[in-house]
Amino acid sequence: MRTYILILSLLLIACIVKGQAIIEGISYDESKVPNYVLPDVLTCNDGSKVTTVAEWEKKRRPEVLEYFYSQEYGRTPKETIAVTYEKLTENPNDMGGRATSKQVRFKFTNGKNVIEAILLVYIPNKRKGKVPVFVGYNFKGNHSTTLDTTVLYSPSFSLVKAPDHPDWQRGNQMNRWCYDKIIDRGYAVATMCYHDIFPDKLGLIKHSVSSLFPTYDPNSTALDEWKAIGVWAWGSSRIVDYLETQDWVDLEKIAIMGHSRQGKAALWAGAQDTRFKVVISNDSGCGGAALSKRVYGENIARIVKIFPHWFCPAFEQYADNEDKLPFDQHELLALIAPRHVYVASAVGDLWADPKGEFLSVYHAGPVYELYGLSGLGTNIMPDIHQPIMTDVGYHIRAGEHDVTDYDWERFMDFCDMHFKIVKRK
């Protein structure tokens, strides 16, 4: 009996560590996925069928977009916020002379208050003409992506991490940013700490750029009130605003890459901002690329409870009620068409529901086909390390919830294809 209790206790601890505690209602059993019906992305709310690009763009697409504005991510304000750029550093001989690095301070202001953010940019020196760019947030500060002691700490980092926290250590997430490989492939990188735009901690909304908008109300009860994911998506577009001022940028070759919660924000940014020509989601899971109606791994009930500052309040009505969703995440991916979307999963990341992420890409396919483009072409998941790349893309790799060199190499392969870039030998 003692042995049985010990084994049971160890299993329970393991489940809790992996986020699989039974009390959270998390299921990793494919046989328990409910019989769900996905909304047809090409059927309008009045029941009419979309058969042309014009009907999609003028009628159905606005309907789908409205679902995400009103019931998941919140409504992005139409007002603009003043922003200025200040170059803080520039090193034309970074990475042993292979790159030029820059650090640029963004100052967002409404005339009364100021929110600051720092963009870290690496530009390949060996280039001919303008260069493509990857835009993406980092989680632990620009300093976490490199050992370079000249890289400045993010202005908001002290709000979310205590002075003795190990995340202050330089290079603590270098593994997620293979700058050398990206530069050698001819791409620039523009990264910013996501906390600078909206500190990812409950109760810090007043330190986010959303607090600068004239409609800001810390006590708002509006069901479509935008929150962190919406604000992060908005911030990604402001990075593109800056890139538009730079003569070295190929504005037709801007890609956005987001991991985990930032994969969610990247997809939402790509749905709203057509300047992102390739949109990449890595392990984005619930509220990102994964189909919510599968209720597999992390689900709506869990995510809105643990992260109430991410989604608009209206999303809470679908907690343990996914069958009532009038939309699903495949429609978010469809909003990106005819631009290109790539979704990546990991075998060990069941929390993010790899199959649900794959199926989301598959079910977005009809909109791509409407434009004369190609979807995945199959509803059967590929094997590990066997990416599918058409006008959309998907891969599943070995490993856990992370960003690896393998991921980056596939992202660059996909961008090479659509940006018509020849690999360097």
Side-chain angles (χ1 to χ4, degrees), residues 94 104 163 202 300:
D94 212 320
V104 181
L202 194 62
I300 295 176

Side-chain angles (χ1 to χ4, degrees), residues 283-360:
D283 301 345
S284 60
C286 180
L291 295 174
S292 296
K293 288 179 180 290
R294 278 175 47 79
V295 199
Y296 184 101
E298 187 173 33
N299 55 39
I300 295 176
R302 193 272 179 187
I303 206 168
V304 297
K305 177 182 179 181
I306 304 300
F307 303 110
H309 58 293
W310 284 7
F311 300 91
C312 72
F315 198 46
E316 296 174 11
Q317 68 185 296
Y318 302 113
D320 295 322
N321 197 28
E322 284 87 353
D323 63 316
K324 299 299 182 183
L325 271 169
F327 63 98
D328 213 326
Q329 300 306 109
H330 66 299
E331 294 176 290
L332 175 65
L333 273 58
L335 290 171
I336 296 166
R339 293 164 294 119
H340 306 286
V341 64
Y342 193 99
V343 172
S345 305
V347 169
D349 190 13
L350 296 181
W351 189 247
D353 185 12
K355 185 174 181 178
E357 293 181 313
F358 168 79
L359 289 174
S360 194

Side-chain angles (χ1 to χ4, degrees), residues 85-89 101-106 116-122 133-138 142 151-152 154-155 189-193 196 235-236 238-243 246 248:
Y85 314 116
E86 177 189 0
K87 184 169 67 178
L88 300 175
T89 67
S101 63
K102 296 182 182 181
Q103 295 181 86
V104 181
R105 177 185 286 126
F106 286 40
E116 294 186 0
I118 296 178
L119 184 71
L120 175 62
V121 182
Y122 289 97
V133 186
F134 280 104
V135 172
Y137 288 117
N138 60 72
N142 296 343
V151 171
L152 302 169
S154 300
V189 187
T191 186
M192 178 184 288
C193 181
D196 285 355
S236 296
R238 306 292 72 79
I239 294 175
V240 180
D241 291 348
Y242 166 75
L243 294 176
Q246 303 299 295
W248 53 268

